[in-house]
């Protein structure tokens, strides 16, 4: 029986937060396969300590620690002084408590593999792991996200320096680990451009095929749907574009179309959009009824990195989908077969075309679901990670 120590930048709950989703589902799949798992994680929400019961059954031990404050001087020192990049003692770490917990558990237990989830929050614990086989999943390249921001808008000198600092960190921060796992080829390409010798694997996120199963066919509302956690700026930007640019163009040809903006923490500028044509829900207990009732999932993201769980969920429920190219990073879709792909200048006309073509809607619904079943189940994701663990052993 394999024993794995998971060290994460966040707990594996709630699952509507994307970075928590992968570790939650992966832990469930590994525990079902008789892996023994222990978890050390940072917490950045007051509710986190009270929610341990939602995932405690998957782990032998669970310990949460307060997320350490970002220390800019520490990051600058690590950037400038190669000898300071990786702490060697607890008091040098951003979280001495996390260091000591890792030290204690690795002394008490035999771990076959240590798996870290996160980037700058967890990379620094390489030395306390000693010679244990270790891999790190930073999810995405932060440099890729910042590069896309730089290319799309005028930035301040501070923001451009932040981009250069991110590239500098990603050139060395993953080097102690035997494997680096990202969720898309775009993220892999960015990290390889920064450090060509990094041993990088691509393993996507998955979907709970039963939870996100296709609903019985019913009458759909004539509504465009966008789902997002609006604490993430690219989701706010996409929602505003839908409301101010895309919806008015669509309504010029289909006057009764509405827009549903669903998701956690909509800021005031999104809440102010609510009217008879635009619904802004805030966080909902279950996104599936909206996915089952809308006519089109519209995802006009122009910024971001990593894989978009919202798109995976829409495809899983058979919701016909229109996306920008960036929205399907890491998802092996084919234009006209699984989704319709359009740039922002042609997004509205593509939505109108889909609204008017019921045969195309049915085709996209069937093919999108088939793609998820074939390539994006959590069972498949777990098998990919298990093979990776075996190569480290």
């Amino acid at each position: 029986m394999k024993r794995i120590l998971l060290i994460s930048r966040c707990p594996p709950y709630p699952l509507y937060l994307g970075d928590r989703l992968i570790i939650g589902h992966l832990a469930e799949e590994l525990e079902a396969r008789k892996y023994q798992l222990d978890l050390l994680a940072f917490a950045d929400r007051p509710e986190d300590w009270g929610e341990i019961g939602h995932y405690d059954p998957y782990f032998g031990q669970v310990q949460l620690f307060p997320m350490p404050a970002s220390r800019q001087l520490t990051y600058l020192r690590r950037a400038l002084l190669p000898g300071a990049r990786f702490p060697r003692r607890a008091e040098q770490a951003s979280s001495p408590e996390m260091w000591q917990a890792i030290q204690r558990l690795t002394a008490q237990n035999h771990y076959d593999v240590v798996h870290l989830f996160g980037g700058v929050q967890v990379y620094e614990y390489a030395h306390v792991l000693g010679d244990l086989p270790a891999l790190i999943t930073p999810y995405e390249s932060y440099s890729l996200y910042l590069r896309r921001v730089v290319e799309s808008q005028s930035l301040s000198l501070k923001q451009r320096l932040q981009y250069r600092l991110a590239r500098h960190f990603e050139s060395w921060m993953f080097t102690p680990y035997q494997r680096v796992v990202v969720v898309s080829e775009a993220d892999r390409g960015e990290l390889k451009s920064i450090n060509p010798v990094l041993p990088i694997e691509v393993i996507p996120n998955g979907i709970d095929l039963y939870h996100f199963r296709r609903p019985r066919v019913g009458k759909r509302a004539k509504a465009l749907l966008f789902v997002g956690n609006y604490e993430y700026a690219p989701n706010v930007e996409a929602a505003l574009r839908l409301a101010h640019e895309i919806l008015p163009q669509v309504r010029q040809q289909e006057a009764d179309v509405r827009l549903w903006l669903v998701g956690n923490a909509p800021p005031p500028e999104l809440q102010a959009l609510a009217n008879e044509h635009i619904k802004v829900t805030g966080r909902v207990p279950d996104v599936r009824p909206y996915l089952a009732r809308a006519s089109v999932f519209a995802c006009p993201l122009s910024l971001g990195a990593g894989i978009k769980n919202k798109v995976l969920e829409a495809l899983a429920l058979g919701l016909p989908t229109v996306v920008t190219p960036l929205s399907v990073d890491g998802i092996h879709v084919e234009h006209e077969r699984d989704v319709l792909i359009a740039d922002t200048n042609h997004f509205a006309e593509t939505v109108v075309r889909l609204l008017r073509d019921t045969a195309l809607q049915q085709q996209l619904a069937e093919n999108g679901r088939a793609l998820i079943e074939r390539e994006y189940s959590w069972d498949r994701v777990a098998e990919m990670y298990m093979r990776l663990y075996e190569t480290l052993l």
Side-chain angles (χ1 to χ4, degrees), residues 41-298:
F42 289 119
D44 59 2
R45 302 161 61 247
E47 306 96 313
D48 284 334
W49 280 268
E51 294 171 343
I52 291 176
H54 289 280
Y55 53 87
D56 185 66
Y58 305 135
F59 299 97
Q61 299 184 59
V62 174
Q63 296 180 52
L64 301 186
F65 304 90
M67 177 70 76
S70 177
R71 299 186 293 180
Q72 298 300 323
L73 288 178
T74 298
Y75 291 143
L76 183 60
R77 182 171 178 270
R78 292 179 182 179
L80 296 176
L81 301 175
R85 290 174 177 175
F86 296 94
R88 294 183 178 273
R89 300 188 305 275
E91 60 269 23
Q92 296 173 334
S94 298
S95 171
E97 297 81 7
M98 174 65 85
W99 182 287
Q100 292 160 356
I102 296 170
Q103 198 168 44
R104 185 169 56 253
L105 286 187
T106 53
Q108 293 172 349
N109 306 289
H110 168 74
Y111 291 106
D112 296 284
V113 173
V114 179
H115 191 165
L116 298 95
F117 289 86
V120 73
Q121 306 89 345
V122 298
Y123 85 90
E124 65 183 78
Y125 299 102
H127 283 307
V128 72
L129 299 177
D131 296 328
L132 285 170
L135 69 155
I136 187 167
T137 298
Y139 303 104
E140 68 277 324
S141 165
Y142 188 51
S143 294
L144 176 61
Y145 168 72
L146 290 176
R147 178 168 64 79
R148 286 170 167 169
V149 173
V150 168
E151 292 171 350
S152 67
Q153 52 192 254
S154 299
L155 298 184
S156 66
L157 176 61
K158 179 180 178 180
Q159 290 170 313
R160 291 184 178 275
L161 288 174
Q162 184 183 25
Y163 169 55
R164 293 174 65 88
L165 184 62
R167 284 183 62 86
H168 177 63
F169 262 74
E170 289 189 339
S171 73
W172 51 261
M173 64 192 291
F174 305 127
T175 53
Y177 298 100
Q178 292 171 266
R179 292 293 188 280
V180 182
V181 181
V182 292
V183 295
S184 80
E185 287 292 344
D187 294 286
R188 180 183 185 275
E190 184 73 12
L191 290 181
K192 279 288 190 181
S193 74
I194 298 170
N195 184 346
V197 301
L198 277 180
I200 304 177
E201 305 281 345
V202 177
I203 300 179
N205 283 3
I207 282 290
D208 183 330
L209 296 179
Y210 180 78
H211 185 77
F212 287 99
R213 62 192 182 276
R214 287 188 68 182
R216 293 187 177 90
V217 177
K219 185 172 178 59
R220 291 184 177 270
K222 200 165 184 181
L224 313 182
L225 172 64
F226 179 73
V227 176
N229 175 15
Y230 296 110
E231 292 176 322
Y232 183 54
N235 285 334
V236 176
E237 192 263 354
L240 290 172
R241 179 181 295 116
L242 276 166
H244 292 312
E245 300 174 20
I246 295 169
L247 181 66
Q249 294 177 49
V250 171
R251 284 177 56 82
Q252 286 179 359
Q253 301 184 63
E254 298 289 329
D256 53 348
V257 171
R258 290 176 287 160
L259 172 63
W260 296 345
L261 301 175
V262 175
N264 180 59
E269 61 266 36
L270 284 191
Q271 296 178 39
L273 296 173
N275 58 36
E276 60 182 316
H277 309 304
I278 300 176
K279 176 186 291 188
V280 182
T281 68
R283 186 170 74 85
V284 296
D286 190 347
V287 74
R288 290 174 298 172
Y290 295 91
L291 292 166
R293 290 279 294 133
S295 296
V296 172
F297 189 80

Side-chain angles (χ1 to χ4, degrees), residues 328-364:
V328 285
D329 274 357
I331 307 175
H332 300 150
V333 295
E334 182 179 316
H335 175 55
E336 301 275 354
R337 184 194 69 185
D338 310 306
V339 299
L340 298 183
I341 301 175
D343 61 34
T344 53
N345 292 329
H346 300 91
F347 202 92
E349 66 186 67
T350 305
V351 168
V352 171
R353 174 195 167 198
L354 184 56
L355 287 170
R356 293 175 172 177
D357 191 335
T358 55
L360 181 58
Q361 293 171 23
Q362 184 64 24
Q363 172 193 313
L364 297 183

